[in-house]
Amino acid sequence: MADDIRRIGAEPLPYFRSKNYCEHVQALTEDLRYLFGTTSTPLTITASGTAGMEMALVNLFNPGDEVVFVNGGTFGAKWGSMARDLGLHTHEMPLEHGRDLDLQRLLDAVGPNVKGVLLSAHETSTGQRFDVRSACQALASKDCLTIVDGVSSIGCDPFEMDAWQVDCATACSQKGLACMPGLVFVTFSERAQRKLRQTTHFRSYLDARVYLDNIPRGMLPFTPAMHATFQVAHMLQSIRKVGLAARIQQTAERATYFRDLMLAEPGFQLFAQTPSNALSAITLPPGVMATPLAGIIRDKYQAVLPLNPTKAETFIRISHMGEQHEAELAQLAQWIIEESNALIVLPD
């Protein structure tokens, strides 16, 4: 996080039902419209990104409804397991990790009884960015809602909810916005809002109707993570000053800079066919495994390379979100290259 964002986390807080805080929520909501690219009303929920996914499922579908989920990694698989836990009937569309979405396969998987398609804009476990724009536009004429997990993509990659005809999308405070964790933002299209008023699925804390009914007057129905809302508001105002496209371009340039350094060395390759700006998934040279390398980087340099939730040992992931500088990325690349070369065991 940037220094000015961290300082906001130490500021005194007003009463969350006060006039000033309600005005803050209204201004935050307007800036979130800009982030999502929508005229709909983004909802601010104090919870994790997983709760945003659950909010979409329990508000838009009834138990027994059929949904298709695209499984291109850990978070695609999560869509399927959550949907099953909540009583939906799921159809899996598996993808090879790190590969592009096959649009025709997806359209073929959407039968006449399918009520929704569950997508990830960016599969965080593989670094792969999917063409959700084409998918959502192709499905817009069907009686089938498109739900997009944009948690690690929105704010890093281009995303235009209305123009792409997305029915529901989620984002978080701690990813592309680089603020403290604690908030998930969920936006429903007009079509989705009509549907959620008719759905009979049990819901309470994540009942989108309660949020939609209260937010026009700046009221969040439950106690919010207030410091996080102030951080996000500040960040969104900063993004507005430079423009969202320029902010995304900055992230893209950091990603390209780091990838060029890594790919210039023998044995390193990109894992994702179409990488997100949010992170680089780098395939390691033969003989180098991710877990030992991450342990060395952590213990020797105090830098964290999170282990892959897919358990894959052939590649590592490096974030490009938040406050990063080229000198830091160059240093990290040097450490990874040097320690990888040291781990390669040459034959006698």
Side-chain angles (χ1 to χ4, degrees), residues 100-272:
D100 285 335
L101 176 66
D102 185 328
L103 181 58
Q104 190 56 54
R105 270 187 65 208
L106 176 62
L107 295 178
D108 291 343
V110 179
N113 296 321
V114 170
K115 300 298 184 184
V117 174
L118 313 178
L119 300 158
S120 301
H122 165 225
E123 175 52 64
T124 320
S125 66
T126 68
Q128 173 69 25
R129 176 170 59 88
F130 295 118
D131 185 4
V132 297
R133 174 182 183 173
S134 295
C136 293
Q137 288 180 337
L139 291 165
S141 61
K142 297 180 179 290
D143 185 21
C144 172
L145 299 176
T146 49
I147 322 300
V148 177
D149 163 18
V151 165
S152 63
S153 183
I154 292 177
C156 297
D157 300 313
F159 187 84
E160 298 179 43
M161 182 169 176
D162 289 358
W164 296 3
Q165 296 177 277
V166 179
D167 288 302
C168 180
T170 63
C172 267
S173 53
Q174 80 279 13
K175 298 291 186 180
L177 296 177
C179 297
M180 65 170 62
L183 297 176
V184 60
F185 310 106
V186 184
T187 309
F188 297 92
S189 68
E190 289 187 13
R191 180 167 77 151
Q193 288 185 45
R194 291 193 296 270
K195 179 67 179 294
L196 67 84
R197 298 286 182 183
Q198 303 165 0
T199 307
T200 59
H201 205 299
F202 291 125
R203 46 201 151 152
S204 180
Y205 183 77
L206 297 176
D207 189 338
R209 297 169 297 186
V210 179
Y211 289 84
L212 286 166
D213 291 345
N214 280 277
I215 207 163
R217 58 196 181 107
M219 286 282 185
L220 300 178
F222 309 106
T223 307
M226 297 175 70
H227 276 122
T229 69
F230 283 114
Q231 285 185 338
V232 170
H234 181 85
M235 178 57 72
L236 290 172
Q237 282 294 303
S238 298
I239 291 173
R240 274 188 176 274
K241 288 178 182 177
V242 300
L244 182 56
R247 164 83 175 193
I248 291 170
Q249 181 60 30
Q250 290 168 2
T251 309
E253 288 171 359
R254 288 197 297 271
T256 299
Y257 175 78
F258 180 81
R259 291 165 190 165
D260 287 346
L261 291 174
M262 296 301 303
L263 300 184
E265 295 294 321
F268 295 95
Q269 298 177 358
L270 275 179
F271 181 76

Side-chain angles (χ1 to χ4, degrees), residues 97-98 123-128 269-272 279-285 288-291 293 305-318:
H97 288 184
E123 175 52 64
T124 320
S125 66
T126 68
Q128 173 69 25
Q269 298 177 358
L270 275 179
F271 181 76
L279 65 83
S280 293
I282 302 293
T283 301
L284 298 168
V288 181
M289 299 181 70
T291 297
L293 176 63
L305 299 179
L307 293 178
N308 197 316
T310 68
K311 310 299 183 185
E313 288 286 340
T314 57
F315 65 93
I316 55 173
R317 299 172 302 146
I318 296 89

